[in-house]
């Protein structure tokens, strides 16, 4: 689960008592008694201590002196997941609904084949046919981009078919209902089968006009989305958080990010919310992303205020339980400024 942190050894597996002794003698962490023993058992040594002994990467070890400090960060992480999970699931469902509605209104069909022919043809805008180029190198670059976009479309089609095949083989009710009756699975059913990352790939293959319509339906400020790529970038921005929560992975230090998030997302958030320096290196930035998307999707002020208030309470509790030097590596010193701006945005 955590890359590069386990070594294969021939040592005998440790009991929970010997692991506690190891933490005391080798790591300088005070841990004793039946209560802390049960907590270590409940969180798991490898999922618990191993996962929470560092910030971002194994080389940034947290200098714990007491097991209660580790438990505080573990509980903080768990509370974040409990708070964020319903939000990201609502966002995923709503995004799929907005895209589906836009596509059906455009094609008057819920067929993937119709969508593939009429809307999933973004590659055409990169065609080199009839275009002139200053140099052969420019033409070669353009042809490479065209092939890349066409391959994306072909990969999407193959993935859609594989997702349906796998779902049917795993006795998925949606796949079983349609395919057993020799019917194509409609777009809404396909969206149910797609992961959020796959859904982002799907949206990225839609043509410009369709993406503009989606952006407009979401209420995105046109100046923030001149290339009509913000919806897909928002999907990619939140997918890693969503997947990590769903798999109960560590999220408190944003180690779940699989890549850099496009600056278009940060700029759009800044323009809409007034929250600056959103670079997704701290979990507060993901709160900002969630609230920004919740407002786009028409969530109530009451619900957004509740989420912000709950997050603030969780953060404040952590602040009282661990050394401030560690706290500031998790929750950056600009946290209060961001929260204030976010509250102002919700109150508009």
């Amino acid at each position: 689960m955590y890359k590069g942190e386990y070594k294969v050894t021939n040592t005998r597996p440790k009991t929970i008592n010997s692991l506690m002794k190891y933490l005391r003698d080798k790591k300088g962490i005070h841990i004793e008694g039946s209560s802390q023993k049960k907590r270590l058992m409940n969180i798991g040594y490898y999922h618990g201590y191993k996962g929470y002994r560092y910030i971002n990467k194994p080389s940034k070890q947290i200098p714990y002196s007491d097991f209660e400090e580790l438990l505080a960060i573990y509980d903080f992480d768990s509370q974040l997941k409990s708070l964020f999970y319903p939000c990201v699931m609502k966002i995923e469902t709503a995004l799929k609904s907005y895209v589906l509605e836009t596509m059906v209104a455009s094609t008057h069909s819920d067929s993937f084949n119709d969508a593939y022919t009429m809307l999933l043809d973004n590659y055409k805008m990169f065609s080199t046919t009839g275009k002139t180029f200053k140099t052969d190198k420019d033409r070669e670059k353009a042809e490479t981009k065209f092939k890349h976009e066409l391959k994306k479309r072909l990969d999407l089609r193959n993935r859609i078919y594989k997702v349906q095949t796998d779902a049917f083989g795993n006795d998925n009710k949606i796949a079983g209902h349609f395919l057993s009756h020799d019917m194509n699975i409609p777009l809404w059913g396909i969206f149910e089968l797609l992961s959020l990352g796959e859904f982002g790939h799907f949206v990225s293959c839609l043509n410009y006009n369709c993406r503009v319509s989606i952006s407009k339906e979401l209420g995105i400020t046109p100046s923030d989305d001149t290339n009509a790529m913000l919806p897909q970038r928002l999907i990619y921005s939140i997918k890693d958080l969503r997947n990590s929560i769903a798999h109960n992975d560590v999220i408190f230090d944003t180690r779940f990010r699989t890549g850099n998030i496009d600056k278009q997302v940060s700029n759009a958030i800044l323009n809409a919310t007034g929250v600056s320096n959103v670079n997704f290196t701290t979990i507060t930035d993901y709160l900002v992303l969630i609230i920004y998307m919740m407002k786009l999707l028409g969530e109530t002020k009451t619900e957004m205020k509740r989420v912000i208030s709950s997050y603030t309470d969780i953060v404040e509790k952590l602040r009282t339980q661990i050394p401030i030097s560690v706290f500031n590596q998790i929750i950056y010193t600009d946290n209060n400024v961001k929260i204030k701006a976010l509250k102002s945005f919700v109150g508009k």
Side-chain angles (χ1 to χ4, degrees):
M1 185 177 296
Y2 310 109
K3 294 180 180 179
E5 70 178 281
Y6 299 130
K7 294 181 179 179
V8 177
T9 67
N10 294 320
T11 57
R12 183 177 300 177
K14 290 181 173 65
T15 63
I16 196 68
N17 287 329
S18 61
L19 288 171
M20 291 173 69
K21 185 176 187 302
Y22 172 77
L23 292 178
R24 287 192 299 267
D25 297 346
K26 301 296 184 181
K27 299 298 181 180
I29 300 175
H30 179 264
I31 178 171
E32 63 180 3
S34 60
S35 177
Q36 290 190 335
K37 179 180 178 178
K38 284 185 178 180
R39 286 301 307 273
L40 181 59
M41 286 281 287
N42 288 342
I43 69 175
Y45 177 80
Y46 292 98
H47 181 75
Y49 169 70
K50 285 285 188 179
Y52 295 92
R53 78 189 200 280
Y54 65 87
I55 298 172
N56 294 125
K57 52 187 177 182
S59 61
K60 292 184 64 176
Q61 297 281 311
I62 300 175
Y64 292 117
S65 60
D66 193 284
F67 186 59
E68 292 300 322
E69 296 170 353
L70 186 146
L71 289 177
I73 293 180
Y74 174 86
D75 289 340
F76 173 66
D77 192 73
S78 298
Q79 290 161 10
L80 287 175
K81 284 181 277 198
S82 296
L83 176 64
F84 287 162
Y85 185 70
C87 300
V88 297
M89 293 307 295
K90 282 183 180 180
I91 289 170
E92 177 178 357
T93 299
L95 286 172
K96 289 180 176 179
S97 294
Y98 274 81
V99 172
L100 177 65
E101 179 68 18
T102 302
M103 294 177 66
V104 171
S106 178
T107 62
H108 304 290
S109 168
D110 64 359
S111 164
F112 169 71
N113 290 334
D114 290 339
Y116 190 77
T117 301
M118 300 168 66
L119 301 178
L120 290 163
D121 57 354
N122 190 54
Y123 73 98
K124 289 181 179 179
M125 70 180 295
F126 299 97
S127 174
T128 59
T129 302
K131 295 180 181 179
T132 58
F133 299 88
K134 291 182 178 180
T135 66
D136 290 342
K137 186 175 182 180
D138 288 341
R139 171 173 285 279
E140 182 180 348
K141 185 177 179 180
E143 289 175 345
T144 299
K145 179 63 176 176
F146 173 73
K147 289 179 181 178
H148 172 75
E149 293 297 324
L150 178 55
K151 185 177 185 302
K152 272 179 59 179
R153 182 181 190 245
L154 296 173
D155 288 343
L156 174 66
R157 182 181 61 184
N158 292 340
R159 185 59 190 160
I160 293 296
Y161 291 151
K162 187 176 188 308
V163 163
Q164 294 180 72
T165 300
D166 291 345
F168 182 77
N170 292 324
D171 296 324
N172 177 273
K173 290 183 179 180
I174 295 174
H177 172 76
F178 287 98
L179 298 180
S180 294
H181 292 85
D182 202 25
M183 297 186 293
N184 292 325
I185 301 177
L187 278 174
W188 68 262
I190 291 173
F191 281 7
E192 286 293 315
L193 302 178
L194 292 179
S195 70
L196 198 52
E198 291 166 338
F199 178 62
H201 182 188
F202 187 103
V203 174
S204 74
C205 291
L206 291 169
N207 60 42
Y208 176 79
N209 289 337
C210 185
R211 299 199 318 272
V212 167
S213 296
I214 293 169
S215 187
K216 183 178 180 180
E217 284 297 315
L218 288 171
I220 294 173
T221 303
S223 59
D224 289 336
D225 195 21
T226 54
N227 56 9
M229 294 177 68
L230 187 56
Q232 70 201 54
R233 286 174 174 166
L234 288 171
I235 294 168
Y236 286 133
S237 297
I238 206 166
K239 77 173 179 66
D240 289 337
L241 174 63
R242 180 253 186 249
N243 292 341
S244 292
I245 294 174
H247 292 97
N248 198 28
D249 290 339
V250 177
I251 69 166
F252 79 94
D253 56 359
T254 73
R255 71 182 65 170
F256 53 81
R257 282 189 303 134
T258 57
N260 293 327
I261 293 177
D262 195 280
K263 290 206 171 185
Q264 184 183 22
V265 174
S266 300
N267 292 336
I269 288 175
L270 172 60
N271 293 337
T273 69
V275 180
S276 59
N277 197 33
V278 175
N279 53 28
F280 301 99
T281 58
T282 172
I283 196 64
T284 299
D285 291 351
Y286 281 90
L287 169 71
V288 176
L289 173 65
I290 286 170
I291 296 299
Y292 169 71
M293 295 182 73
M294 288 174 72
K295 190 160 186 177
L296 282 180
L297 297 167
E299 188 56 81
T300 65
K301 289 183 181 181
T302 299
E303 176 61 11
M304 289 186 287
K305 288 178 179 179
R306 182 196 68 80
V307 174
I308 296 172
S309 178
S310 296
Y311 179 82
T312 302
D313 291 343
I314 293 169
V315 168
E316 179 59 23
K317 182 179 179 182
L318 177 68
R319 188 188 65 79
T320 66
Q321 294 177 319
I322 62 175
I324 194 64
S325 59
V326 176
F327 177 81
N328 287 339
Q329 293 181 63
I330 300 170
I331 304 297
Y332 294 178
T333 55
D334 63 354
N335 179 72
N336 290 340
V337 174
K338 289 180 175 179
I339 295 297
K340 183 179 179 180
L342 196 59
K343 287 180 177 179
S344 177
F345 165 67
V346 170
K348 290 179 181 179

